[in-house]
Amino acid sequence: MGRIIIIGYMGAGKTTLGKALSRETGMPFYDLDWYIENRMHKTVKELFDAHGEEGFRKIEHNLLHEVAEFEHVIISCGGGTPCFFDNIDYMNQQGETVYLKATPDVLHGHLKMGRTVRPLLLDKTPDEVKAFIHEQLALREPFYAKAKHTLDVNLMDNYEKIKTYVERLKGMLSL
């Protein structure tokens, strides 16, 4: 297995599952956002603020091409990564792409539990966040749907559920 690239909306559990799969398989795990932050010495939010979304997406595109050259790795991408440039087609050429598909309610639940700063959700009320998730998911679904594999995920709120999804993912990818 060369590369496993996990995509999906923010809050779907890409990093959680990627780390858990890495522990199970011994394959190194890279979170693209963390990789960007380490290479650029700025947070994703700072990059968004300094360069706007378009500027950030160019940086993200370039660093996706860098990290996706690594051999035998698991990569989780930001929610928007597959939706810009030719990123989803490139990811499909580079490895096994897995779309973590979740309902807007599940995503909202994960985002409420999360501790990460999400630049696109700042200054939004809970109702605005729900509406935003619905709108964004509708726009992004055609890109996500191009992944080679789709794993339906529900609330990953405990270790046993995460372990179950890792087992499903391993079966799906014949690991």
Side-chain angles (χ1 to χ4, degrees), residues 143-172:
F143 296 97
Y144 295 158
K146 287 184 174 184
K148 294 179 183 177
H149 309 276
T150 299
L151 180 64
D152 282 301
V153 293
N154 287 307
L155 214 49
M156 281 191 269
D157 52 3
N158 66 48
Y159 180 73
E160 284 308 310
K161 287 183 186 175
I162 293 166
K163 199 171 166 72
T164 301
Y165 286 117
V166 167
E167 290 309 312
R168 285 187 195 157
L169 197 50
K170 283 170 59 181
M172 189 180 278

PDB file of all heavy atoms in Angstrom, residues 143-172:
ATOM      1  N   PHE A 143     -16.863  16.752  -5.291  1.00  0.00           N
ATOM      2  CA  PHE A 143     -15.421  16.498  -5.237  1.00  0.00           C
ATOM      3  C   PHE A 143     -15.127  15.298  -4.341  1.00  0.00           C
ATOM      4  O   PHE A 143     -14.364  14.414  -4.703  1.00  0.00           O
ATOM      5  CB  PHE A 143     -14.675  17.736  -4.713  1.00  0.00           C
ATOM      6  CG  PHE A 143     -14.803  18.926  -5.621  1.00  0.00           C
ATOM      7  CD1 PHE A 143     -15.760  19.902  -5.374  1.00  0.00           C
ATOM      8  CD2 PHE A 143     -13.979  19.063  -6.731  1.00  0.00           C
ATOM      9  CE1 PHE A 143     -15.891  20.997  -6.221  1.00  0.00           C
ATOM     10  CE2 PHE A 143     -14.102  20.151  -7.582  1.00  0.00           C
ATOM     11  CZ  PHE A 143     -15.061  21.120  -7.324  1.00  0.00           C
ATOM     12  N   TYR A 144     -15.756  15.279  -3.165  1.00  0.00           N
ATOM     13  CA  TYR A 144     -15.556  14.167  -2.236  1.00  0.00           C
ATOM     14  C   TYR A 144     -15.970  12.841  -2.872  1.00  0.00           C
ATOM     15  O   TYR A 144     -15.331  11.819  -2.663  1.00  0.00           O
ATOM     16  CB  TYR A 144     -16.373  14.366  -0.956  1.00  0.00           C
ATOM     17  CG  TYR A 144     -15.982  15.546  -0.089  1.00  0.00           C
ATOM     18  CD1 TYR A 144     -16.905  16.090   0.804  1.00  0.00           C
ATOM     19  CD2 TYR A 144     -14.702  16.109  -0.128  1.00  0.00           C
ATOM     20  CE1 TYR A 144     -16.568  17.151   1.633  1.00  0.00           C
ATOM     21  CE2 TYR A 144     -14.373  17.179   0.691  1.00  0.00           C
ATOM     22  CZ  TYR A 144     -15.311  17.689   1.569  1.00  0.00           C
ATOM     23  OH  TYR A 144     -14.976  18.745   2.394  1.00  0.00           O
ATOM     24  N   ALA A 145     -17.050  12.889  -3.640  1.00  0.00           N
ATOM     25  CA  ALA A 145     -17.598  11.666  -4.246  1.00  0.00           C
ATOM     26  C   ALA A 145     -16.642  11.032  -5.261  1.00  0.00           C
ATOM     27  O   ALA A 145     -16.816   9.877  -5.630  1.00  0.00           O
ATOM     28  CB  ALA A 145     -18.946  11.960  -4.901  1.00  0.00           C
ATOM     29  N   LYS A 146     -15.628  11.786  -5.692  1.00  0.00           N
ATOM     30  CA  LYS A 146     -14.649  11.235  -6.642  1.00  0.00           C
ATOM     31  C   LYS A 146     -13.624  10.323  -5.966  1.00  0.00           C
ATOM     32  O   LYS A 146     -12.818   9.692  -6.651  1.00  0.00           O
ATOM     33  CB  LYS A 146     -13.897  12.376  -7.349  1.00  0.00           C
ATOM     34  CG  LYS A 146     -14.731  13.115  -8.369  1.00  0.00           C
ATOM     35  CD  LYS A 146     -13.855  14.148  -9.061  1.00  0.00           C
ATOM     36  CE  LYS A 146     -14.567  14.837 -10.202  1.00  0.00           C
ATOM     37  NZ  LYS A 146     -13.666  15.751 -10.916  1.00  0.00           N
ATOM     38  N   ALA A 147     -13.632  10.275  -4.628  1.00  0.00           N
ATOM     39  CA  ALA A 147     -12.680   9.408  -3.917  1.00  0.00           C
ATOM     40  C   ALA A 147     -12.906   7.964  -4.340  1.00  0.00           C
ATOM     41  O   ALA A 147     -14.020   7.573  -4.704  1.00  0.00           O
ATOM     42  CB  ALA A 147     -12.859   9.550  -2.409  1.00  0.00           C
ATOM     43  N   LYS A 148     -11.849   7.164  -4.284  1.00  0.00           N
ATOM     44  CA  LYS A 148     -11.939   5.751  -4.677  1.00  0.00           C
ATOM     45  C   LYS A 148     -12.780   4.939  -3.686  1.00  0.00           C
ATOM     46  O   LYS A 148     -13.370   3.929  -4.059  1.00  0.00           O
ATOM     47  CB  LYS A 148     -10.540   5.141  -4.774  1.00  0.00           C
ATOM     48  CG  LYS A 148      -9.704   5.727  -5.896  1.00  0.00           C
ATOM     49  CD  LYS A 148      -8.321   5.084  -5.896  1.00  0.00           C
ATOM     50  CE  LYS A 148      -7.422   5.700  -6.961  1.00  0.00           C
ATOM     51  NZ  LYS A 148      -6.073   5.106  -6.903  1.00  0.00           N
ATOM     52  N   HIS A 149     -12.795   5.361  -2.427  1.00  0.00           N
ATOM     53  CA  HIS A 149     -13.528   4.644  -1.379  1.00  0.00           C
ATOM     54  C   HIS A 149     -14.335   5.646  -0.559  1.00  0.00           C
ATOM     55  O   HIS A 149     -13.892   6.780  -0.368  1.00  0.00           O
ATOM     56  CB  HIS A 149     -12.566   3.914  -0.430  1.00  0.00           C
ATOM     57  CG  HIS A 149     -11.559   3.061  -1.125  1.00  0.00           C
ATOM     58  ND1 HIS A 149     -11.826   1.775  -1.539  1.00  0.00           N
ATOM     59  CD2 HIS A 149     -10.283   3.313  -1.488  1.00  0.00           C
ATOM     60  CE1 HIS A 149     -10.757   1.271  -2.117  1.00  0.00           C
ATOM     61  NE2 HIS A 149      -9.801   2.185  -2.121  1.00  0.00           N
ATOM     62  N   THR A 150     -15.494   5.206  -0.061  1.00  0.00           N
ATOM     63  CA  THR A 150     -16.300   6.037   0.829  1.00  0.00           C
ATOM     64  C   THR A 150     -16.589   5.239   2.086  1.00  0.00           C
ATOM     65  O   THR A 150     -17.016   4.085   2.016  1.00  0.00           O
ATOM     66  CB  THR A 150     -17.627   6.447   0.153  1.00  0.00           C
ATOM     67  OG1 THR A 150     -17.328   7.207  -1.012  1.00  0.00           O
ATOM     68  CG2 THR A 150     -18.491   7.282   1.088  1.00  0.00           C
ATOM     69  N   LEU A 151     -16.340   5.845   3.228  1.00  0.00           N
ATOM     70  CA  LEU A 151     -16.640   5.227   4.516  1.00  0.00           C
ATOM     71  C   LEU A 151     -17.640   6.122   5.226  1.00  0.00           C
ATOM     72  O   LEU A 151     -17.338   7.280   5.533  1.00  0.00           O
ATOM     73  CB  LEU A 151     -15.361   5.085   5.357  1.00  0.00           C
ATOM     74  CG  LEU A 151     -15.512   4.455   6.740  1.00  0.00           C
ATOM     75  CD1 LEU A 151     -15.987   3.001   6.641  1.00  0.00           C
ATOM     76  CD2 LEU A 151     -14.194   4.524   7.504  1.00  0.00           C
ATOM     77  N   ASP A 152     -18.857   5.597   5.439  1.00  0.00           N
ATOM     78  CA  ASP A 152     -19.867   6.357   6.178  1.00  0.00           C
ATOM     79  C   ASP A 152     -19.490   6.350   7.648  1.00  0.00           C
ATOM     80  O   ASP A 152     -19.292   5.282   8.230  1.00  0.00           O
ATOM     81  CB  ASP A 152     -21.254   5.733   5.997  1.00  0.00           C
ATOM     82  CG  ASP A 152     -21.843   6.094   4.645  1.00  0.00           C
ATOM     83  OD1 ASP A 152     -21.995   7.297   4.385  1.00  0.00           O
ATOM     84  OD2 ASP A 152     -22.142   5.176   3.870  1.00  0.00           O
ATOM     85  N   VAL A 153     -19.360   7.533   8.234  1.00  0.00           N
ATOM     86  CA  VAL A 153     -18.993   7.628   9.644  1.00  0.00           C
ATOM     87  C   VAL A 153     -20.102   8.316  10.425  1.00  0.00           C
ATOM     88  O   VAL A 153     -20.763   9.209   9.925  1.00  0.00           O
ATOM     89  CB  VAL A 153     -17.655   8.379   9.852  1.00  0.00           C
ATOM     90  CG1 VAL A 153     -16.493   7.577   9.292  1.00  0.00           C
ATOM     91  CG2 VAL A 153     -17.673   9.760   9.229  1.00  0.00           C
ATOM     92  N   ASN A 154     -20.296   7.850  11.631  1.00  0.00           N
ATOM     93  CA  ASN A 154     -21.209   8.506  12.565  1.00  0.00           C
ATOM     94  C   ASN A 154     -20.379   9.084  13.689  1.00  0.00           C
ATOM     95  O   ASN A 154     -19.155   9.122  13.604  1.00  0.00           O
ATOM     96  CB  ASN A 154     -22.240   7.502  13.090  1.00  0.00           C
ATOM     97  CG  ASN A 154     -23.251   7.155  12.011  1.00  0.00           C
ATOM     98  OD1 ASN A 154     -23.865   8.024  11.425  1.00  0.00           O
ATOM     99  ND2 ASN A 154     -23.403   5.872  11.742  1.00  0.00           N
ATOM    100  N   LEU A 155     -21.035   9.499  14.733  1.00  0.00           N
ATOM    101  CA  LEU A 155     -20.335  10.142  15.844  1.00  0.00           C
ATOM    102  C   LEU A 155     -19.234   9.240  16.390  1.00  0.00           C
ATOM    103  O   LEU A 155     -19.498   8.134  16.838  1.00  0.00           O
ATOM    104  CB  LEU A 155     -21.349  10.485  16.934  1.00  0.00           C
ATOM    105  CG  LEU A 155     -21.091  11.757  17.723  1.00  0.00           C
ATOM    106  CD1 LEU A 155     -20.807  12.947  16.814  1.00  0.00           C
ATOM    107  CD2 LEU A 155     -22.271  12.055  18.614  1.00  0.00           C
ATOM    108  N   MET A 156     -18.005   9.709  16.290  1.00  0.00           N
ATOM    109  CA  MET A 156     -16.848   8.966  16.823  1.00  0.00           C
ATOM    110  C   MET A 156     -16.524   9.560  18.188  1.00  0.00           C
ATOM    111  O   MET A 156     -15.593  10.330  18.331  1.00  0.00           O
ATOM    112  CB  MET A 156     -15.652   9.119  15.889  1.00  0.00           C
ATOM    113  CG  MET A 156     -15.725   8.221  14.694  1.00  0.00           C
ATOM    114  SD  MET A 156     -14.164   8.203  13.809  1.00  0.00           S
ATOM    115  CE  MET A 156     -14.435   9.528  12.644  1.00  0.00           C
ATOM    116  N   ASP A 157     -17.343   9.200  19.158  1.00  0.00           N
ATOM    117  CA  ASP A 157     -17.189   9.835  20.458  1.00  0.00           C
ATOM    118  C   ASP A 157     -16.571   8.922  21.513  1.00  0.00           C
ATOM    119  O   ASP A 157     -16.527   9.263  22.676  1.00  0.00           O
ATOM    120  CB  ASP A 157     -18.525  10.405  20.950  1.00  0.00           C
ATOM    121  CG  ASP A 157     -19.640   9.377  20.909  1.00  0.00           C
ATOM    122  OD1 ASP A 157     -19.375   8.212  20.559  1.00  0.00           O
ATOM    123  OD2 ASP A 157     -20.785   9.746  21.221  1.00  0.00           O
ATOM    124  N   ASN A 158     -16.093   7.752  21.096  1.00  0.00           N
ATOM    125  CA  ASN A 158     -15.356   6.916  22.044  1.00  0.00           C
ATOM    126  C   ASN A 158     -14.387   6.000  21.304  1.00  0.00           C
ATOM    127  O   ASN A 158     -14.474   5.819  20.093  1.00  0.00           O
ATOM    128  CB  ASN A 158     -16.308   6.121  22.959  1.00  0.00           C
ATOM    129  CG  ASN A 158     -17.119   5.087  22.205  1.00  0.00           C
ATOM    130  OD1 ASN A 158     -16.588   4.313  21.407  1.00  0.00           O
ATOM    131  ND2 ASN A 158     -18.422   5.069  22.457  1.00  0.00           N
ATOM    132  N   TYR A 159     -13.474   5.428  22.059  1.00  0.00           N
ATOM    133  CA  TYR A 159     -12.397   4.626  21.503  1.00  0.00           C
ATOM    134  C   TYR A 159     -12.918   3.411  20.732  1.00  0.00           C
ATOM    135  O   TYR A 159     -12.382   3.070  19.677  1.00  0.00           O
ATOM    136  CB  TYR A 159     -11.452   4.185  22.637  1.00  0.00           C
ATOM    137  CG  TYR A 159     -10.299   3.357  22.151  1.00  0.00           C
ATOM    138  CD1 TYR A 159      -9.252   3.942  21.440  1.00  0.00           C
ATOM    139  CD2 TYR A 159     -10.267   1.988  22.361  1.00  0.00           C
ATOM    140  CE1 TYR A 159      -8.192   3.184  20.971  1.00  0.00           C
ATOM    141  CE2 TYR A 159      -9.205   1.216  21.897  1.00  0.00           C
ATOM    142  CZ  TYR A 159      -8.176   1.828  21.205  1.00  0.00           C
ATOM    143  OH  TYR A 159      -7.144   1.079  20.734  1.00  0.00           O
ATOM    144  N   GLU A 160     -13.956   2.767  21.239  1.00  0.00           N
ATOM    145  CA  GLU A 160     -14.495   1.565  20.579  1.00  0.00           C
ATOM    146  C   GLU A 160     -15.028   1.888  19.182  1.00  0.00           C
ATOM    147  O   GLU A 160     -14.822   1.130  18.241  1.00  0.00           O
ATOM    148  CB  GLU A 160     -15.588   0.903  21.429  1.00  0.00           C
ATOM    149  CG  GLU A 160     -15.049   0.129  22.615  1.00  0.00           C
ATOM    150  CD  GLU A 160     -13.960  -0.882  22.234  1.00  0.00           C
ATOM    151  OE1 GLU A 160     -14.184  -1.683  21.294  1.00  0.00           O
ATOM    152  OE2 GLU A 160     -12.885  -0.864  22.857  1.00  0.00           O
ATOM    153  N   LYS A 161     -15.723   3.013  19.058  1.00  0.00           N
ATOM    154  CA  LYS A 161     -16.257   3.408  17.745  1.00  0.00           C
ATOM    155  C   LYS A 161     -15.122   3.697  16.766  1.00  0.00           C
ATOM    156  O   LYS A 161     -15.175   3.300  15.608  1.00  0.00           O
ATOM    157  CB  LYS A 161     -17.172   4.631  17.876  1.00  0.00           C
ATOM    158  CG  LYS A 161     -18.511   4.315  18.505  1.00  0.00           C
ATOM    159  CD  LYS A 161     -19.387   5.547  18.530  1.00  0.00           C
ATOM    160  CE  LYS A 161     -20.673   5.292  19.281  1.00  0.00           C
ATOM    161  NZ  LYS A 161     -21.475   6.507  19.408  1.00  0.00           N
ATOM    162  N   ILE A 162     -14.090   4.374  17.249  1.00  0.00           N
ATOM    163  CA  ILE A 162     -12.936   4.684  16.397  1.00  0.00           C
ATOM    164  C   ILE A 162     -12.290   3.379  15.927  1.00  0.00           C
ATOM    165  O   ILE A 162     -11.993   3.217  14.740  1.00  0.00           O
ATOM    166  CB  ILE A 162     -11.916   5.575  17.152  1.00  0.00           C
ATOM    167  CG1 ILE A 162     -12.533   6.956  17.416  1.00  0.00           C
ATOM    168  CG2 ILE A 162     -10.613   5.704  16.360  1.00  0.00           C
ATOM    169  CD1 ILE A 162     -11.776   7.796  18.437  1.00  0.00           C
ATOM    170  N   LYS A 163     -12.128   2.439  16.837  1.00  0.00           N
ATOM    171  CA  LYS A 163     -11.527   1.136  16.515  1.00  0.00           C
ATOM    172  C   LYS A 163     -12.353   0.403  15.447  1.00  0.00           C
ATOM    173  O   LYS A 163     -11.799  -0.173  14.509  1.00  0.00           O
ATOM    174  CB  LYS A 163     -11.434   0.304  17.796  1.00  0.00           C
ATOM    175  CG  LYS A 163     -10.459  -0.836  17.739  1.00  0.00           C
ATOM    176  CD  LYS A 163     -10.315  -1.436  19.144  1.00  0.00           C
ATOM    177  CE  LYS A 163      -9.628  -2.758  19.122  1.00  0.00           C
ATOM    178  NZ  LYS A 163      -8.213  -2.707  18.848  1.00  0.00           N
ATOM    179  N   THR A 164     -13.676   0.465  15.566  1.00  0.00           N
ATOM    180  CA  THR A 164     -14.568  -0.159  14.577  1.00  0.00           C
ATOM    181  C   THR A 164     -14.354   0.451  13.197  1.00  0.00           C
ATOM    182  O   THR A 164     -14.269  -0.269  12.197  1.00  0.00           O
ATOM    183  CB  THR A 164     -16.049   0.011  15.007  1.00  0.00           C
ATOM    184  OG1 THR A 164     -16.222  -0.606  16.282  1.00  0.00           O
ATOM    185  CG2 THR A 164     -17.000  -0.607  14.002  1.00  0.00           C
ATOM    186  N   TYR A 165     -14.254   1.775  13.127  1.00  0.00           N
ATOM    187  CA  TYR A 165     -14.037   2.437  11.836  1.00  0.00           C
ATOM    188  C   TYR A 165     -12.668   2.104  11.254  1.00  0.00           C
ATOM    189  O   TYR A 165     -12.530   1.949  10.044  1.00  0.00           O
ATOM    190  CB  TYR A 165     -14.229   3.954  11.940  1.00  0.00           C
ATOM    191  CG  TYR A 165     -15.680   4.324  12.058  1.00  0.00           C
ATOM    192  CD1 TYR A 165     -16.181   4.951  13.182  1.00  0.00           C
ATOM    193  CD2 TYR A 165     -16.568   4.018  11.025  1.00  0.00           C
ATOM    194  CE1 TYR A 165     -17.519   5.272  13.288  1.00  0.00           C
ATOM    195  CE2 TYR A 165     -17.913   4.335  11.124  1.00  0.00           C
ATOM    196  CZ  TYR A 165     -18.383   4.959  12.253  1.00  0.00           C
ATOM    197  OH  TYR A 165     -19.711   5.264  12.354  1.00  0.00           O
ATOM    198  N   VAL A 166     -11.661   1.982  12.106  1.00  0.00           N
ATOM    199  CA  VAL A 166     -10.325   1.607  11.631  1.00  0.00           C
ATOM    200  C   VAL A 166     -10.388   0.205  11.006  1.00  0.00           C
ATOM    201  O   VAL A 166      -9.830  -0.026   9.931  1.00  0.00           O
ATOM    202  CB  VAL A 166      -9.276   1.665  12.772  1.00  0.00           C
ATOM    203  CG1 VAL A 166      -7.977   0.979  12.361  1.00  0.00           C
ATOM    204  CG2 VAL A 166      -9.000   3.114  13.151  1.00  0.00           C
ATOM    205  N   GLU A 167     -11.091  -0.712  11.661  1.00  0.00           N
ATOM    206  CA  GLU A 167     -11.237  -2.074  11.124  1.00  0.00           C
ATOM    207  C   GLU A 167     -11.956  -2.056   9.769  1.00  0.00           C
ATOM    208  O   GLU A 167     -11.556  -2.752   8.843  1.00  0.00           O
ATOM    209  CB  GLU A 167     -11.950  -2.990  12.121  1.00  0.00           C
ATOM    210  CG  GLU A 167     -11.120  -3.325  13.358  1.00  0.00           C
ATOM    211  CD  GLU A 167      -9.716  -3.852  13.017  1.00  0.00           C
ATOM    212  OE1 GLU A 167      -9.602  -4.755  12.156  1.00  0.00           O
ATOM    213  OE2 GLU A 167      -8.739  -3.355  13.618  1.00  0.00           O
ATOM    214  N   ARG A 168     -13.005  -1.253   9.657  1.00  0.00           N
ATOM    215  CA  ARG A 168     -13.738  -1.135   8.378  1.00  0.00           C
ATOM    216  C   ARG A 168     -12.819  -0.586   7.297  1.00  0.00           C
ATOM    217  O   ARG A 168     -12.835  -1.057   6.157  1.00  0.00           O
ATOM    218  CB  ARG A 168     -14.956  -0.223   8.531  1.00  0.00           C
ATOM    219  CG  ARG A 168     -16.096  -0.872   9.258  1.00  0.00           C
ATOM    220  CD  ARG A 168     -17.324   0.004   9.217  1.00  0.00           C
ATOM    221  NE  ARG A 168     -18.289  -0.457  10.197  1.00  0.00           N
ATOM    222  CZ  ARG A 168     -19.248   0.280  10.726  1.00  0.00           C
ATOM    223  NH1 ARG A 168     -19.381   1.542  10.365  1.00  0.00           N
ATOM    224  NH2 ARG A 168     -20.068  -0.225  11.601  1.00  0.00           N
ATOM    225  N   LEU A 169     -12.052   0.421   7.664  1.00  0.00           N
ATOM    226  CA  LEU A 169     -11.121   1.046   6.710  1.00  0.00           C
ATOM    227  C   LEU A 169     -10.068   0.051   6.269  1.00  0.00           C
ATOM    228  O   LEU A 169      -9.769  -0.054   5.070  1.00  0.00           O
ATOM    229  CB  LEU A 169     -10.478   2.262   7.400  1.00  0.00           C
ATOM    230  CG  LEU A 169      -9.795   3.299   6.545  1.00  0.00           C
ATOM    231  CD1 LEU A 169     -10.677   3.752   5.396  1.00  0.00           C
ATOM    232  CD2 LEU A 169      -9.409   4.499   7.398  1.00  0.00           C
ATOM    233  N   LYS A 170      -9.520  -0.707   7.196  1.00  0.00           N
ATOM    234  CA  LYS A 170      -8.517  -1.710   6.848  1.00  0.00           C
ATOM    235  C   LYS A 170      -9.116  -2.754   5.895  1.00  0.00           C
ATOM    236  O   LYS A 170      -8.458  -3.154   4.932  1.00  0.00           O
ATOM    237  CB  LYS A 170      -7.988  -2.388   8.116  1.00  0.00           C
ATOM    238  CG  LYS A 170      -6.995  -1.527   8.869  1.00  0.00           C
ATOM    239  CD  LYS A 170      -6.644  -2.069  10.245  1.00  0.00           C
ATOM    240  CE  LYS A 170      -6.060  -3.449  10.232  1.00  0.00           C
ATOM    241  NZ  LYS A 170      -5.766  -3.930  11.595  1.00  0.00           N
ATOM    242  N   GLY A 171     -10.347  -3.173   6.148  1.00  0.00           N
ATOM    243  CA  GLY A 171     -11.005  -4.137   5.271  1.00  0.00           C
ATOM    244  C   GLY A 171     -11.230  -3.558   3.874  1.00  0.00           C
ATOM    245  O   GLY A 171     -10.982  -4.218   2.863  1.00  0.00           O
ATOM    246  N   MET A 172     -11.669  -2.309   3.839  1.00  0.00           N
ATOM    247  CA  MET A 172     -11.934  -1.626   2.580  1.00  0.00           C
ATOM    248  C   MET A 172     -10.670  -1.514   1.730  1.00  0.00           C
ATOM    249  O   MET A 172     -10.705  -1.642   0.499  1.00  0.00           O
ATOM    250  CB  MET A 172     -12.465  -0.230   2.935  1.00  0.00           C
ATOM    251  CG  MET A 172     -13.004   0.585   1.830  1.00  0.00           C
ATOM    252  SD  MET A 172     -13.559   2.190   2.502  1.00  0.00           S
ATOM    253  CE  MET A 172     -15.172   1.759   3.134  1.00  0.00           C
TER     254      MET A 172
END
